């Protein structure tokens, strides 16, 4: 299934036809979740693969055997991808770990009444858009990125593939979504305190770990370990689909990289749109400027 230039339009959102069909998208909305399922939800480039690694490692009590021998898309397949049903049936993972980028207004009804454990991963949208921009350059199943300012415009308008970041985060952190007893964790929290993040996730999953097991999780989900792990770094994906000469999936793994791409003018524009779109939200973010400075100093 190549379909590299195909775009599926579903409920007004665009999805790459290489990974999605109308059938697979429709099936996702009717998926019968089990109470034992673990569901990782994110807008693209928010730290999805990192969370897949963390959940796999927690389920294996820090043993990297599974995370280093089974590709992330097999051990935590995307619900809306065309290969999902086949992969899930053959999945070696118990409990089942399912990943999705779908927004809450589409997937919420399928989760209603379920006790599936939902982990929502968010990231500073400025870093998301920069990461997504670089990813568009290497992923041949995504449209041309164009200039960064054009790309940023499309991000803020919500017309990129996978839809609008603002709708995504507001939907998944809304009161309605909270009924699912969801765990919201940010990329910044993971960067600042990976040990604390692993403990938060393991306690949410009711899989408490011994200190040594936490240590092993920390070691095997570090940026450098994952960059070397073929089962997480996407190097198994054919050149025709992801051009590894044009960039790496495991690119920088830093917070605050947006500062290398945003001009002062773009930043002001972003701030204006952010303020207006988020004015009805009470979310507190771990990425305000002062906090970010602290995080950057720590991670260098
Ligand atoms: P960058 O492009 O900023 O480097 P997703 O998995 O949602 O597509 O997100 C990909 C982003 O997460 C990339 O960001 C990637 O480098 C980063 N990432 C993946 N694993 C990471 C890790 N262990 N530590 C820090 N960042 C990680």
């Amino acid at each position: 299934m190549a379909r590299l230039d195909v775009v599926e339009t579903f409920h007004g959102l665009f999805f790459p036809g290489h990974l999605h069909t109308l059938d697979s998208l429709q099936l996702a909305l009717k998926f019968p979740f089990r109470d034992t399922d673990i569901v990782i939800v994110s807008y693209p480039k928010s730290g999805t693969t990192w969370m897949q690694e963390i959940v796999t490692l927690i389920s294996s009590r820090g043993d990297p055997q599974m995370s280093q021998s089974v590709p992330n898309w097999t051990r935590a397949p995307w619900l809306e991808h065309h290969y999902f049903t086949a992969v899930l049936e053959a999945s070696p993972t118990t409990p089942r770990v399912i990943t999705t980028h779908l927004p809450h207004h589409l997937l919420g009804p399928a989760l209603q009444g379920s006790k599936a454990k939902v982990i929502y991963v968010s990231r500073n949208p400025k870093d998301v858009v920069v990461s997504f921009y670089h990813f568009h350059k290497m992923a041949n199943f995504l449209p041309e990125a164009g200039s960064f300012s054009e790309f940023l415009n499309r991000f803020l308008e919500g017309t990129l593939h996978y839809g609008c970041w603002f709708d995504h985060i507001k939907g998944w952190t809304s009161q309605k979504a909270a009924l699912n007893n969801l765990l919201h964790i940010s990329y910044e929290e993971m960067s600042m305190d990976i040990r604390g993040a692993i403990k938060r996730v393991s306690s949410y999953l009711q899989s408490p770990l011994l200190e040594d097991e936490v240590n092993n999780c920390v070691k095997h989900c570090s940026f450098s370990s994952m960059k070397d792990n073929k089962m997480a770094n996407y190097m198994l994906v054919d050149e025709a689909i992801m051009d590894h000469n044009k960039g790496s999936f495991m690119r920088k793994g830093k917070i605050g990289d947006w500062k290398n791409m945003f001009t002062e003018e773009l930043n002001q524009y972003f701030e204006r749109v952010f303020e207006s779109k988020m004015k009805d939200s009470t979310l507190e973010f771990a990425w305000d400027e002062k906090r970010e400075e602290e995080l950057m100093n720590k991670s260098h």
Side-chain angles (χ1 to χ4, degrees):
M1 170 130 166
R3 305 205 324 148
L4 292 174
D5 293 328
V6 178
V7 178
E8 290 294 359
T9 307
F10 185 63
H11 290 263
L13 306 184
F14 305 134
F15 293 90
H18 170 64
L19 297 162
H20 307 79
T21 61
L22 282 182
D23 268 1
S24 72
L25 288 157
Q26 259 144 11
L27 272 176
L29 304 198
K30 290 189 240 134
F31 184 68
F33 285 98
R34 294 184 189 157
D35 287 350
T36 49
D37 288 340
I38 301 171
V39 190
I40 300 172
V41 184
S42 64
Y43 188 85
K45 313 319 287 178
S46 302
T48 324
T49 317
W50 197 1
M51 186 53 74
Q52 289 173 326
E53 206 78 346
I54 291 173
V55 169
T56 307
L57 285 164
I58 291 174
S59 305
S60 335
R61 308 193 70 90
D63 179 348
Q65 204 275 334
M66 166 85 89
S67 63
Q68 293 178 0
S69 59
V70 183
N72 63 317
W73 58 82
T74 304
R75 54 183 145 88
W78 271 261
L79 173 64
E80 57 273 21
H81 286 185
H82 66 83
Y83 55 76
F84 175 73
T85 310
V87 167
L88 195 71
E89 272 167 18
S91 171
T93 320
T94 44
R96 305 189 300 188
V97 184
I98 296 164
T99 307
T100 182
H101 288 320
L102 290 175
H104 185 262
H105 71 272
L106 294 184
L107 194 59
L111 277 165
Q112 209 170 24
S114 140
K115 292 197 179 76
K117 295 200 165 59
V118 181
I119 303 174
Y120 185 69
V121 189
S122 67
R123 185 180 189 185
N124 182 345
K126 292 181 189 173
D127 283 334
V128 168
V129 70
V130 168
S131 179
F132 211 10
Y133 177 68
H134 289 290
F135 189 54
H136 271 64
K137 297 198 166 196
M138 68 175 299
N140 289 334
F141 54 86
L142 290 170
E144 286 293 316
S147 72
F148 181 66
S149 61
E150 284 161 9
F151 190 82
L152 180 64
N153 229 348
R154 278 152 58 204
F155 177 82
L156 293 173
E157 278 172 352
T159 53
L160 290 178
H161 278 34
Y162 301 95
C164 173
W165 181 89
F166 299 99
D167 293 345
H168 203 278
I169 191 161
K170 287 197 285 187
W172 280 106
T173 56
S174 66
Q175 296 239 321
K176 245 186 184 170
L179 292 176
N180 281 103
N181 189 23
L182 147 160
L183 175 76
H184 179 187
I185 191 156
S186 69
Y187 183 99
E188 289 71 24
E189 287 172 76
M190 283 146 63
S191 293
M192 181 169 57
D193 178 12
I194 186 62
R195 176 175 297 273
I198 289 168
K199 286 186 175 173
R200 253 186 98 193
V201 176
S202 74
S203 118
Y204 175 66
L205 298 180
Q206 293 167 329
S207 302
L209 299 175
L210 301 170
E211 272 315 292
D212 264 8
E213 295 169 342
V214 176
N215 291 343
N216 284 333
C217 291
V218 169
K219 177 172 165 207
H220 296 296
C221 78
S222 70
F223 184 78
S224 58
S225 301
M226 285 180 61
K227 197 170 171 66
D228 287 343
N229 179 5
K230 277 207 175 71
M231 301 297 154
N233 66 13
Y234 285 88
M235 290 303 285
L236 293 177
V237 176
D238 196 274
E239 285 282 322
I241 294 162
M242 270 191 207
D243 190 339
H244 304 290
N245 294 314
K246 291 198 182 145
S248 307
F249 181 88
M250 299 292 297
R251 195 181 60 93
K252 282 195 178 173
K254 293 257 179 251
I255 54 171
D257 186 42
W258 64 269
K259 290 179 182 151
N260 297 316
M261 290 295 282
F262 277 59
T263 59
E264 189 46 43
E265 200 187 348
L266 289 180
N267 192 34
Q268 282 175 13
Y269 169 45
F270 189 102
E271 290 290 342
R272 276 198 305 277
V273 177
F274 185 89
E275 213 162 285
S276 114
K277 299 250 190 203
M278 298 303 281
K279 65 175 180 298
D280 52 345
S281 162
T282 53
L283 278 175
E284 285 191 19
F285 297 113
W287 60 71
D288 69 68
E289 295 276 318
K290 238 177 96 203
R291 189 100 183 267
E292 197 170 76
E293 291 292 330
E294 277 170 33
L295 297 182
M296 282 178 80
N297 292 338
K298 270 195 185 174
S299 68
H300 287 300

